[in-house]
């Protein structure tokens, strides 16, 4: 943001660092600026407007996903730092979780010229487990232990207008459940949104294959390994239609 560089993760912190020395400096807490407990690890900046978007979620004040809109310096000429921009950020849209006591794990989202695309996937954070870990203290659970794979729920695609924050009324549900971390590409074409993802049939590789001991095994360093399902590029095409169109 501006002349400052930040590293992000799925926590609620943006950490500033020096590109030359990698020395870290200021840490910005999104919970203080716009109330989110966790955030996507991949904020996206609109090159045309300079506005940065991100998705966050709240657990303590209701299980909801939030679109965060962070203005750029061209939108806020009086701002002198990224911290000033964060203070002028706002929640553009809020969407409740589909499930009681659970909400989707998410790592990234998609963006086109006019829309933001969020996928609620059936790899869910079990809030009961999370609360229990807080009560018991650190060491009772790690973040991975809060997560449950519920493929019966499938994946729900949410489309939100960037300009207004309006959530399109129609929902898109996948035929089969899948797990993903990253969008490959998103774009608009002929009144449709094309979404390309790097998708897995399940999150097994993340739950077990990303452990340090596993990463040190020979099969994880380029040799044949069939223990975990590999990702594949998958394309989803979402027609930009309204419920009025469906009624005709």
């Amino acid at each position: 943001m501006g002349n400052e560089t930040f590293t992000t993760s799925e926590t609620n912190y943006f950490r500033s660092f020096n590109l030359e020395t990698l020395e870290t400096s200021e840490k910005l807490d999104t919970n203080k600026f716009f109330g989110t407990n966790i955030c996507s690890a991949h904020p996206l900046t609109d090159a045309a407007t300079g506005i940065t978007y991100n998705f966050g979620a709240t657990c303590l004040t209701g299980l909801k996903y939030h679109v965060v809109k962070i203005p750029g310096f061209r939108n806020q000429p009086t701002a002198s730092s990224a911290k000033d921009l964060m203070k002028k950020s706002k929640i553009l849209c809020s969407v409740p979780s589909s499930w009681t006591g659970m909400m989707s794990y998410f790592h990234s989202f998609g963006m086109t010229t006019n829309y933001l695309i969020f996928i609620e996937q059936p790899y869910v954070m079990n809030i009961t487990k999370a609360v229990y870990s807080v009560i018991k203290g650190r060491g009772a659970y790690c973040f991975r232990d809060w997560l449950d794979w519920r493929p019966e729920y499938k994946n729900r695609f949410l489309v939100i207008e960037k300009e207004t924050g309006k959530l399109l009324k129609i929902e898109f549900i996948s035929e089969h459940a899948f797990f993903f971390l990253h969008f490959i590409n998103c774009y608009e074409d002929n009144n449709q949104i094309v979404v390309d993802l790097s998708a897995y049939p399940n999150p097994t590789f993340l739950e077990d294959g990303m452990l340090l001991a596993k990463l040190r095994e020979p099969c994880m360093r380029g040799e044949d390994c069939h223990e975990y399902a590999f990702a594949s590029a998958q394309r989803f095409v979402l027609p930009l239609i309204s419920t009025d169109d469906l009624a005709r």
Side-chain angles (χ1 to χ4, degrees):
M1 289 186 285
N3 295 324
E4 298 177 72
T5 304
F6 291 84
T7 181
T8 62
S9 67
E10 293 162 358
T11 69
N12 52 307
Y13 297 110
F14 282 45
R15 171 74 78 170
S16 177
F17 70 97
N18 186 297
L19 279 174
E20 298 296 328
T21 66
L22 301 184
E23 182 180 355
T24 60
S25 53
E26 188 173 21
K27 181 170 68 174
L28 303 180
D29 186 348
T30 63
N31 183 260
K32 294 180 179 179
F33 292 112
F34 30 79
T36 55
N37 303 123
I38 55 176
C39 285
S40 158
H42 297 284
L44 297 176
T45 300
D46 190 323
T49 65
I51 294 171
T52 297
Y53 297 90
N54 203 7
F55 272 81
T58 50
C59 306
L60 303 178
T61 58
L63 303 183
K64 295 180 180 180
Y65 314 107
H66 306 280
V67 180
V68 179
K69 184 178 181 180
I70 306 172
F73 281 109
R74 74 180 77 169
N75 315 109
Q76 297 290 337
T78 60
S80 59
S81 66
K83 187 174 183 178
D84 288 341
L85 296 178
M86 295 285 274
K87 290 179 179 178
K88 297 180 183 297
S89 302
K90 68 176 184 178
I91 299 294
L92 186 65
C93 175
S94 298
V95 182
S97 169
S98 295
W99 313 297
T100 301
M102 299 180 295
M103 67 189 314
S104 174
Y105 166 84
F106 58 94
H107 183 77
S108 64
F109 62 97
M111 182 171 71
T112 69
T113 302
N114 298 295
Y115 300 96
L116 301 169
I117 300 90
F118 179 82
I119 302 177
E120 187 180 50
Q121 60 181 334
Y123 196 37
V124 299
M125 290 181 283
N126 188 314
I127 303 304
T128 300
K129 291 181 179 179
V131 171
Y132 179 77
S133 71
V134 172
I135 295 173
K136 297 293 289 185
R138 293 183 179 181
Y141 282 98
C142 70
F143 182 70
R144 184 187 67 164
D145 296 328
W146 303 352
L147 300 170
D148 295 327
W149 176 237
R150 301 289 185 90
E152 67 273 18
Y153 292 142
K154 310 296 176 57
N155 299 66
R156 180 171 69 134
F157 291 70
L158 304 177
V159 181
I160 298 162
E161 292 181 350
K162 289 162 65 177
E163 182 65 26
T164 65
K166 178 183 176 181
L167 174 69
L168 268 61
K169 290 183 179 180
I170 188 167
E171 294 181 353
F172 303 93
I173 308 296
S174 64
E175 182 179 3
H176 304 289
F178 62 86
F179 168 74
F180 83 102
L181 289 171
H182 298 109
F183 283 74
I184 298 172
N185 195 15
C186 284
Y187 60 93
E188 297 167 37
D189 180 44
N190 194 27
N191 207 34
Q192 300 175 121
I193 295 177
V194 180
V195 177
D196 293 333
L197 299 171
S198 177
Y200 298 81
N202 56 61
T204 306
F205 92 97
L206 184 67
E207 294 179 328
D208 188 41
M210 296 299 287
L211 296 175
L212 187 58
K214 286 289 185 179
L215 293 173
R216 287 171 172 164
E217 292 180 1
C219 71
M220 301 301 285
R221 301 201 300 267
E223 299 179 14
D224 289 338
C225 182
H226 303 290
E227 186 176 353
Y228 307 107
F230 290 98
S232 62
Q234 296 189 25
R235 170 165 290 182
F236 299 86
V237 180
L238 314 179
L240 291 171
I241 56 178
S242 67
T243 51
D244 293 335
D245 296 327
L246 293 175
R248 293 194 183 101

